[in-house]
Amino acid sequence: MFDLTGKRALVTGASGGIGSEIAKALTAAGARVALSGTRVPALEAVASEIGGDSPILPCNLSDLEAVDKLVPSAEAALGGLDILVNNAGMTRDNLFMRMKNEEWDDVIAVNLTAAFRISRSALRGMMKQRFGRIINISSVVGVVGNGGQANYAASKAGLIGMGKALAQEVASRNITVNAIAPGFIASAMTDELNDKQREAIFSTIPAARLGTAAEVAGCAVFLASDAAGYITGHTLDVNGGMVMV
Amino acid sequence: MSDIADRVRKIVVEHLNVDAEKVTEKASFIDDLGADSLDQVELVMAFEEEFSVEIPDDAAESIQTFGDAVAFLTKAVG
């Protein structure tokens, strides 16, 4: 039921903690996964780790011309595209009153505009083949906000709204569009937190621990699979109970 | 009927699942042939592929009937 044999996938931000885990999980479920990102050595490391004959497609998502070429190269490398995971994201945190125009623009461009453009170019093939799965990696911050992250929160909320609109347009073509909103996930960044910081964070999480990238990746496999064929426009919260909406 | 018209009609019949006789010169994709706006986008995509042409967005919007499509493609291909 969760088998993805024969499916062709593209994951952006595939060298990151969550992105690499999603690529790994999709491959383990049987898909062939193209890896996109900016750090080629890191992408190569992920490719050799998952051992699934993964094409590497370097792409800087703030370069819109490169963005428009990403899906065509993925389709050429894989022979088509069934699953798109818009995972790439960046932060440029600042207090709202101090936030620079560039900090706002850069985050919106990479996190939201690139996802729009990549999805739009993926839809052509998905419409024709009457199958597609678009999975946008949002964030709990896009649901409840977070001080110091107005740009990031706007981009992550934007992914949810954009996905719901698109889901309505293409549902009749057997294309689903969903989001995953992770909470605190263990990463290189959270490894650096001290005990006191950890305690403060855990006190807001009923599960009293960080999530793992694998727990996010499992949701991506589910949403990509036939088992989730009737789920569209949905946001899966993966946050240990931190926020329940 | 020209060869172009036949090829366009074939695409319309297959895509919208309608009888060929209904696909007349003045037949509107949306009003007469049951297409929705997404069907119309898909028809344009199919025309582009069949005739190896690019149909810009403003031209695509002006293609409302079977006759519009044949006229546009005759001009574009010829």
Side-chain angles (χ1 to χ4, degrees):
Chain A
M1 207 170 193
F2 305 106
D3 183 36
L4 300 177
T5 302
K7 293 289 196 287
R8 302 148 301 183
L10 169 64
V11 178
T12 67
S15 60
I18 290 177
S20 60
E21 205 63 44
I22 289 174
K24 209 184 294 178
L26 292 175
T27 306
R32 187 159 176 239
V33 185
L35 309 172
S36 182
T38 48
R39 295 172 294 150
V40 175
L43 291 171
E44 281 167 351
V46 173
S48 74
E49 195 189 336
I50 65 182
D53 179 27
S54 289
I56 290 169
L57 307 172
C59 183
N60 178 353
L61 296 188
S62 54
D63 173 356
L64 291 178
E65 265 179 50
V67 166
D68 286 339
K69 289 182 188 140
L70 180 57
V71 167
S73 10
E75 288 172 337
L78 301 169
L81 189 63
D82 305 293
I83 301 160
L84 168 64
V85 184
N86 287 311
N87 165 72
M90 62 180 277
T91 54
R92 287 277 186 277
D93 297 355
N94 211 339
L95 286 175
F96 198 102
M97 290 183 70
R98 294 189 182 283
M99 186 166 288
K100 298 182 180 56
N101 292 339
E102 302 78 60
E103 290 171 335
W104 173 270
D105 290 343
D106 290 353
V107 168
I108 297 294
V110 167
N111 296 9
L112 185 58
T113 307
F116 156 66
R117 290 207 176 197
I118 292 168
S119 301
R120 187 179 58 186
S121 60
L123 279 169
R124 209 179 162 97
M126 289 177 174
M127 294 250 290
K128 247 183 93 184
Q129 72 195 10
R130 292 287 192 271
F131 181 88
R133 294 278 195 266
I134 295 177
I135 300 166
N136 294 317
I137 306 304
S138 179
S139 164
V140 65
V141 164
V143 181
V144 295
N146 193 24
Q149 291 197 307
N151 48 1
Y152 186 76
S155 71
K156 293 299 183 179
L159 285 175
I160 292 175
M162 178 184 81
K164 287 180 176 177
L166 175 57
Q168 293 184 22
E169 288 188 26
V170 297
S172 65
R173 295 334 190 238
N174 198 25
I175 300 168
T176 68
V177 187
N178 292 291
I180 299 174
F184 275 104
I185 304 300
S187 68
M189 210 160 60
T190 56
D191 285 348
E192 286 170 19
L193 298 171
N194 62 37
D195 285 349
K196 206 171 162 199
Q197 289 170 315
R198 279 174 180 271
E199 220 168 279
I201 290 171
F202 291 172
S203 72
T204 68
I205 305 172
R209 66 172 178 87
L210 299 173
T212 66
E215 287 167 329
V216 177
C219 296
V221 171
F222 167 63
L223 290 174
S225 74
D226 289 343
Y230 204 52
I231 299 176
T232 194
H234 188 71
T235 303
L236 261 182
D237 294 308
V238 186
N239 61 32
M242 183 182 161
V243 172
M244 303 181 191
V245 282
Chain B
M1 264 296 177
S2 69
D3 162 59
I4 288 176
D6 287 342
R7 284 155 74 192
V8 172
R9 179 177 286 109
K10 187 160 177 279
I11 290 171
V12 173
V13 165
E14 273 171 17
H15 190 90
L16 299 179
N17 207 12
V18 292
D19 293 333
E21 305 86 73
K22 284 195 173 165
V23 186
T24 57
E25 175 87 20
K26 292 226 159 60
S28 155
F29 297 127
I30 288 180
D31 296 334
D32 302 317
L33 302 175
D36 62 20
S37 50
L38 203 55
D39 288 317
Q40 201 155 9
V41 172
E42 286 184 304
L43 281 174
V44 168
M45 277 166 47
F47 297 152
E48 287 181 327
E49 223 154 89
E50 171 71 20
F51 295 95
S52 306
V53 293
E54 200 157 315
I55 303 178
D57 285 346
D58 53 338
E61 276 162 32
S62 74
I63 299 177
Q64 299 289 331
T65 65
F66 172 68
D68 293 341
V70 174
F72 178 88
L73 290 163
T74 304
K75 213 166 142 197
V77 176

